Amino acid sequence: MVYFIGAGPGAADLITLRGKAILERAEVILWADTLVNPEILNLARPAARIYPTGGMALEKQVEVMVEAVKSGQVVARLHTGDPSIYGATREQMRALDTAGVAYAVVPGVSSVFAVAAALKTELTQPEVSQTVILTRAAGRTPVPPSEALKGLAAHRATLVLLLSANLLEGAVAELLAGGYSPDTPAALVYRASWPEEKILRTPLSEISKAAKEANINRQAILIVGEALAAGATRSRLYSTRLQPGCFVGDER
Ligand code: SAH
């Protein structure tokens, strides 16, 4: 069996217990070496065969996984954050389907949430924003026209931009053109949960200049929205007066 495992955002202890347990018994490990913390590999058995996938073609990765599983071995495929967000797992799964190899997915802590933790913020705030948009600027990988930043900006929801640190200036211009006001709170977080983590907070109109000054152009997430403001809204979750119809079960 192949396990696609979310390795978490960086800090080695942000992998799940389930991910750790599989890693400890895996005979073959493929890992995304550009963003996954190598410290996590200390969990591997000494005899495990370990492959960094950075310079490895998809076909080769699949070949290694298929061969291992066919000879009865457990394969761990480590992805950064959670595998479901820009993980490029679909193409691997399709190839494993073709080869008749079974697989499962173990979720991980996405960098999106490590960034929210670094900012000590909630991405949703009562009466401010109850919607989070995860997206990216169009780069080498195009974005469907219906998801252009300018259009998404019209919602003025909390917007989380991955894979875009080198495209900030254009992205911010689109967000401003689309409806966010220039003073909307924005934060750029570089390598959240790593020792070299950096946090920049400015109004939206100033964030790309601040990024340039701090020399941040990769491995960062931009979050934009009024939810980042230190406003004093209060949810009904811990309200002392029970109002009929409020917070029944999951409805908060
Ligand atoms: N599956 C991953 C995202 C992969 S896309 C996840 O769930 O986190 C890669 C992008 O993730 C980077 O361009 C950057 O925007 C973001 N990223 C990954 N790790 C990060 C970290 N520790 N801090 C800030 N951004 C990070």
Side-chain angles (χ1 to χ4, degrees), residues 9 80-82 85-86 110-111 162-163 189 191-192 194 219-221:
T80 173
D82 183 88
I85 310 279
Y86 304 116
S110 174
S111 57
L162 295 92
L163 291 164
V189 182
R191 285 177 74 92
W194 293 80
Q219 296 181 9
I221 285 182

